Amino acid sequence: MSAVRFKGVGKRFGSVVALADLDLEIEPGEFVSLLGPSGSGKTTTLNLLAGLLPIDEGEISIGDRVVNHVPPDRRDIAMVFQNYALYPHMSVHENIAFPLRARGRALDDAKIDAMVTGVAGKLGIGELLARYPKELSGGQQQRVALGRAMVREPKVFLLDEPLSNLDARLRLRMRRDLKALHDALGATIVYVTHDQAEAMTLSTRVAVFNHGRLQQFDTPEAIYHRPANIFVGNFVGEREMNLIPGDLAVENGASVVRGRGMAMALGSASPTFSAAAGSRVVLGVRAEGIVPVADPMATDVPARVVATERAGPEVAVFASAGDGIELCCRAEAHAQFGKGQAIGLRFVPEYLHLFDAGSEKSLRIRGSTKEE
Amino acid sequence: MNAAPSWRRRALVRRAINAAITLTICLFALFPILWGLSTSLKPSGRILAFPPELLPSQPTLEHYRLLVKTGIHGPLANSAIVSFATVVLALVLGTLAAYALARFEFRGKRAILFAVIAIMSIPLPSLLVPSFIFLALLGLTNTLTGLALLYTTYQLPITVWILYGYFRTIPREYENAAMIDGYSRLEALRKVVLPLSGPGLIAAGLFVLTFAWNDFVVAVAMNSSEGARTLPVAIYGYLGFFGREWGPLTAAAMVSVVPVIVIFALFQRYFLSGMSGGGVKG
């Protein structure tokens, strides 16, 4: 296991900037997810680290070694591809043994066989060694791909959306297995995904990308509760964040955002908020930050139910408030809200995020008096 | 049987019609070859007999014996050597060129691809004189080496084109995986890409083989010596040797046709999937 460091790394495809000025330091043994929508630069980052793409500027190092000009076969990394890339003309055994037979390893057949069997046993695919990839189910292929990566005990594992080709149930199970695997191996893992739930559940830290730029690199907790900007806040989480543009005001020591025909209290004014008073802001709040209450007079924000959606143990309530903006809020499973019903919305101050309307950066992340 | 449901009877009828049409087309296409085979087995006196008979009433191998006596094995071996060398050369060079075109971005790539297609459209006869002069300058006329090199040159564009198309159907991830697994690009090509390119290689190889094996024009223009004579030229020799001796001529033609038919029959499955540019991959 090794540290991985990106320093000022950039990559262009023609005139398109795929990745700009990336600084990222991954500690040894960390499980880091690169999260972002397609075209955000996360896969480019992985391919640069793997050596599958030449790097345009900056420096990448694995351990103490700068690997800018080291070809992929000399980087001592293993990679699991989205489509697994199992060699179709080789049996499972041959697939897993393939990295061990590379030149310069000089392992004898008995040793190779022992290693392959060992890894296959760990992954529960010991019975499949004689089969060919096309005779395996998606989950089994996935395990073989993992086995091929594990067998050589590399410095760093690179996983490129390894679960996205599996069905939903299997994906959840493989997620747990991957986490267990990381705990067992203690290896450095770099994991590319566009699925925020995967990134949040698996990682020690998450790097969120957009438009070729790193937006935030922090623990899943911090990413969720203290998003650095509107993009991160909106991208992470089960549902889209409610975004309400407005003006920030400080009245009697408490800050208030007024916009879209509503007034939302943020609690006591922090120094940052006070400094930003009078400026255009965007209030971001996740569904769990808005509590619908049956009595429209009980809160400052009256609203009307537009639709409800039962999602597992709770109910998502879509309500129209203020000048007609539609907000998504979360209610307990037993709550009964009918379409068209007049309700009140209570904003939970702890769940409110304030962003600058121009830069879209969080106003809370620095100098905030109160954090969850 | 008369209780068979009508849809089954209709399916049967349709299949019978299909078979009849296919058979007719086959007979039409194969007739010259069958006629040649029949002629080669008839004694000289009966070849032009009227009415003609398709099945020889007095089959004989005398023409084949004559071929052996006049040394058909020389040209046969020459053709085999030249064809084999051409196929190997064209596939090795074609693989490297096609792989580079399929996988790398470099300046002039489009121009090269265009040239590959453009060259294929040049009629062969117009190349004979320049080819001959070039070969003469190199001192390679009347040699099998010269022929093999020329055939390779003529067939390289189609080889590159077929393999280029085939390689592009193979996902890059396989090579990327192999390279990350510790193999250089050339090793990845050899251990992963080529084993998956069987149909493409076979399609290209058959193209080259049939050209090299059947070529008459180039061989007759470049070679005048007996030592470097290839089979098609030798067959032509049988035509003039004894006046209009149909027996030895058709016998020699049969000797020339059989190997190609056998090879095609063995590989036809791959040939088709190679030509349609993909085939099934796990």
Side-chain angles (χ1 to χ4, degrees), chain A residues 1-5 24-33 155-159 179 182-183 185-191 202-207 217-220:
Chain A
M1 72 185 182
S2 287
V4 172
R5 184 178 302 115
L24 194 65
E25 289 202 27
I26 298 170
E27 306 287 331
E30 255 197 303
F31 192 126
V32 167
S33 289
K155 284 187 177 150
V156 183
F157 282 95
L158 311 183
L159 309 185
K179 198 159 172 67
H182 175 241
D183 293 343
L185 297 175
T188 310
I189 296 183
V190 182
Y191 186 96
L202 284 169
S203 323
T204 50
R205 282 195 290 174
V206 180
F217 181 42
D218 215 328
T219 61

Side-chain angles (χ1 to χ4, degrees), chain A residues 228-248:
Chain A
N229 55 37
I230 292 183
F231 174 80
V232 174
N234 204 16
F235 194 76
V236 170
E238 289 296 303
R239 295 173 185 279
E240 278 181 285
M241 198 178 232
N242 296 299
L243 295 171
I244 309 162
D247 295 295
L248 179 65

Side-chain angles (χ1 to χ4, degrees), chain A residues 50 52 72-73 77-79 81 83 85-90 98-99 101-103 134 148 152, chain B residues 171 173-185 187 190-193 195-196 281-282:
Chain A
L52 297 174
D73 51 309
I77 46 173
M79 185 156 168
F81 291 82
N83 57 7
L86 298 179
Y87 311 119
H89 58 299
M90 297 184 199
F98 193 66
R101 294 192 194 279
R103 190 180 304 171
K134 64 169 175 248
R148 192 173 66 188
R152 40 188 298 212
Chain B
E173 275 85 355
Y174 291 135
E175 294 138 79
N176 287 347
M179 286 194 284
I180 284 172
D181 281 345
Y183 293 81
S184 68
R185 192 174 272 279
E187 286 173 316
R190 195 165 59 83
K191 300 212 164 180
V192 175
V193 179
L196 297 176
K281 288 186 297 292

